Amino acid sequence: MNIKPEARKIDVDFSDARIDWIPNDPELAQFWNAVSIGLPLLEGYLIRALAKAKKMLPEGSDALYADCELFCQQEANHSKTHMKYNDMVRATGFYPEMDKYTDRLKADYERFDKNYGLRHAMLYAEGFETAGPIFASYFLVQANKRLKDQDVDLITLSLWRWHLSEEFEHRSCAFNVVEALYGTYWGRLGGIIKATSHLIGFAVPLSEYMLKEDIKAGRVNAGFKGFVRKFKSYSGMFFFIGPRILRAFSPWYNPKNLKEPKGCEAVLTIASETLNLNTMAARARETV
Ligand SMILES: [Fe+2]
Ligand SMILES: [Fe+2]
């Protein structure tokens, strides 16, 4: 990438954003909404891990130390922006039991903090960060298709495009820290399995709950059409993400060698220029 990595503090007004931001694919939108709802807790755990780990790096790791600082700032910005989105979802009152799901996730991270040490947190962080650039590739490809769909809500779409492009940008940080501190192949594999299954174990039940409420209230038409839509979105994600996760199991895997997702640099350039999600949304079609 030709753009200098930086922490972009993004302003946003979500009052015009929509929960059903992909009207043709409500199941997919709710899956990503559920991920958004869990992200501030998840990213909080990663920030705590990297903030501790950077102090334990061997001497002469100044560049990696700076990467850790950038990582923590970027993740903090992601969390803050997702919290605003999540507040908008919560304020609709459509999903009264949503906090039950986040309370369980919060308890998980509290348990991790209490019972496991930094090594666990760093392997988890590395595992999650392995999925990050894959989600970025998936999302930027899908997002560019969605941009042709006139009904899609560009504010929410831009939230994900900016966030996941930064995930691609800082993809090597957790990997390099784990290499410097632990250098463990099997631990890395364990971290990928733990982090991805933990995230799916949170996001799928919550998105199912949200969809159930939508169907009950008549906001989403279920039935056979809904079943086909969900099957298509979930299998599309699975067949895109699954093989790429498996590829990361290779002992020669290094995130720095990953191919930059199409549109990533353009999204980050506009993010740096505007620092505003609403303006990014207005300019989203420039990046297709
Ligand atoms: Fe993030
Ligand atoms: Fe990240």
Side-chain angles (χ1 to χ4, degrees), residues 43 74-75 78 128 163 167 170:
E43 292 183 320
Q74 286 193 332
E75 295 296 12
H78 300 166
F128 179 73
H163 180 172
E167 289 300 323
H170 71 219

Side-chain angles (χ1 to χ4, degrees), residues 91-219:
T92 61
F94 290 167
Y95 314 107
E97 285 179 27
M98 155 181 161
D99 287 339
K100 270 192 197 161
Y101 292 81
T102 48
D103 286 349
R104 273 203 292 268
L105 188 66
K106 196 167 167 234
D108 280 351
Y109 290 120
E110 280 168 1
R111 188 163 47 83
F112 293 171
D113 275 335
K114 205 171 140 225
N115 299 342
Y116 309 122
L118 180 61
R119 188 176 185 276
H120 176 276
M122 272 314 306
L123 293 175
Y124 183 101
E126 190 191 31
F128 179 73
E129 292 293 311
T130 305
I134 300 172
F135 281 136
S137 297
Y138 167 77
F139 209 88
L140 285 162
V141 172
Q142 290 299 316
N144 281 354
K145 282 188 206 156
R146 296 291 173 194
L147 281 174
K148 294 181 185 104
D149 177 352
Q150 295 301 321
D151 277 344
V152 78
D153 169 37
L154 293 174
I155 305 172
T156 312
L157 187 80
S158 298
L159 166 69
W160 285 109
R161 277 157 52 98
W162 155 67
H163 180 172
L164 289 167
S165 296
E166 284 193 357
E167 289 300 323
F168 183 80
E169 197 171 41
H170 71 219
R171 69 194 178 281
S172 293
C173 181
F175 176 88
N176 289 338
V177 171
V178 170
E179 285 299 300
L181 294 182
Y182 311 111
T184 156
Y185 171 71
W186 294 107
R188 186 169 73 77
L189 260 49
I192 296 174
I193 294 164
K194 175 85 198 248
T196 49
S197 56
H198 191 222
L199 175 69
I200 292 167
F202 167 78
V204 171
L206 176 56
S207 65
E208 284 299 306
Y209 161 70
M210 291 166 84
L211 271 172
K212 217 171 73 196
E213 293 294 321
D214 287 340
I215 293 163
K216 227 169 42 187
R219 290 185 294 271

